[in-house]
Amino acid sequence: MTDDKAAPRAGTQTLERGLDLLDLLAERPHTVRELAAGAGLTVSTARRLALALIDRGFAVGERDGSLRLGPKLMQLGVRAQERLNIVELARDRLRSLADATNMPAFLGERDGDHSVHLHRVGGGQRVVVTTPVGTRRPLPETSLGKALLLDEPPAALEALLARRPASQPGFLADLSADRARGAVIHRSPPPDDLRAVATPIRDAAGRIVAAISVVSPAQYVDDAALDGIVAQVRAAAAEISAALGHPTPAG
């Protein structure tokens, strides 16, 4: 191999090894020897890479000799988050979801005790749900709102319901089942008579920052079909969450 080809490859290998160390530090603090063992490196190589990470602020040395992630990564994370537009990230995935389910797909976020519709993609049904962008609805009343509440602690839910009583009986029991499922299945009674599935979108820290849903008049979707749509909505939400930096579950 010529020198001009060997140099770029060596540089890439060094970068990959440095990234391997960052992956290990993302799990927990490590000593240099632990980093070497975890990354399959010699101790001297791991020490050299660790010093380079410390010099650039990607790692910080502790008094006990271990290393942890440094402030540079937090700075980069904040800058990346500032440049992310959740509507732009979700747009194509909502289009694919609407095409796959033949149902209109929605994106929303929380605003106090309400959900706010940020984006809508139409489906292929003759009778469609046409809730416009900007619509605000009390959180307990919609599938989007319920999805935004899946991580809410019991005391906060009770306070919310004291301010905004749920229109459907068994709200808390249904929300508990939705939490276990990882998706909301919503059945609104007549005269609306709608069926919906919604799932939260999470950021890199695992926080719920938005939610997506598909909604249909009951005449087009029976309970068996509704259960089958859950996996499609969860998959779309997982893709959007991954684009926000949320770890993809194993498998």
Side-chain angles (χ1 to χ4, degrees):
M1 181 180 295
T2 60
D3 290 343
D4 59 338
K5 292 182 179 179
R9 180 172 180 179
T12 300
Q13 190 176 54
T14 299
L15 174 61
E16 290 174 347
R17 288 172 172 174
L19 294 175
D20 287 341
L21 298 193
L22 290 178
D23 282 339
L24 291 170
L25 293 178
E27 298 173 0
R28 62 172 177 81
H30 283 67
T31 65
V32 171
R33 289 189 177 277
E34 289 172 335
L35 289 173
L41 304 174
T42 64
V43 173
S44 61
T45 298
R47 181 177 291 108
R48 176 173 54 82
L49 293 172
L51 289 174
L53 293 175
I54 292 172
D55 287 343
R56 298 296 296 270
F58 290 102
V60 174
E62 300 283 23
R63 291 182 178 179
D64 62 0
S66 65
L67 284 80
R68 61 175 175 82
L69 293 179
K72 185 68 173 180
L73 287 169
M74 289 184 283
Q75 295 168 9
L76 293 176
V78 170
R79 291 174 186 172
Q81 198 72 29
E82 289 173 347
R83 287 163 173 76
L84 291 175
N85 183 318
I86 195 165
V87 175
E88 291 300 321
L89 289 176
R91 192 185 307 274
D92 290 344
R93 293 169 177 87
L94 285 182
R95 176 74 271 168
S96 297
L97 182 61
D99 290 342
T101 61
N102 209 37
M103 300 163 66
F106 297 87
L107 169 72
E109 67 179 2
R110 184 171 181 173
D111 180 17
D113 288 353
H114 294 78
S115 63
V116 181
H117 283 66
L118 300 177
H119 187 61
R120 174 187 179 276
V121 176
Q125 300 166 341
R126 289 187 63 187
V127 180
V128 297
V129 180
T130 58
T131 309
V133 171
T135 297
R136 298 174 79 250
R137 296 283 300 277
L139 289 167
E141 292 185 3
T142 67
S143 61
L144 271 178
K146 292 178 182 179
L148 293 166
L149 291 173
L150 287 186
D151 285 356
E152 203 75 357
L157 282 174
E158 291 175 5
L160 171 65
L161 292 177
R163 298 188 302 269
R164 295 276 180 183
S167 58
Q168 291 180 284
F171 174 82
L172 292 177
D174 290 343
L175 196 67
S176 179
D178 293 333
R179 186 180 295 114
R181 186 190 300 114
V184 171
I185 294 181
H186 178 82
R187 299 172 175 87
S188 65
D192 291 339
D193 204 17
L194 300 176
R195 301 294 181 264
V197 174
T199 307
I201 295 170
R202 299 179 183 275
D203 64 10
R207 297 176 295 238
I208 294 176
V209 294
I212 61 172
S213 67
V214 291
V215 188
S216 169
Q219 68 194 72
Y220 295 120
V221 181
D222 59 21
D223 285 346
L226 200 62
D227 290 337
I229 292 167
V230 168
Q232 294 172 293
V233 180
R234 288 181 59 183
E239 289 181 6
I240 300 169
S241 298
L244 289 171
H246 184 61
T248 302

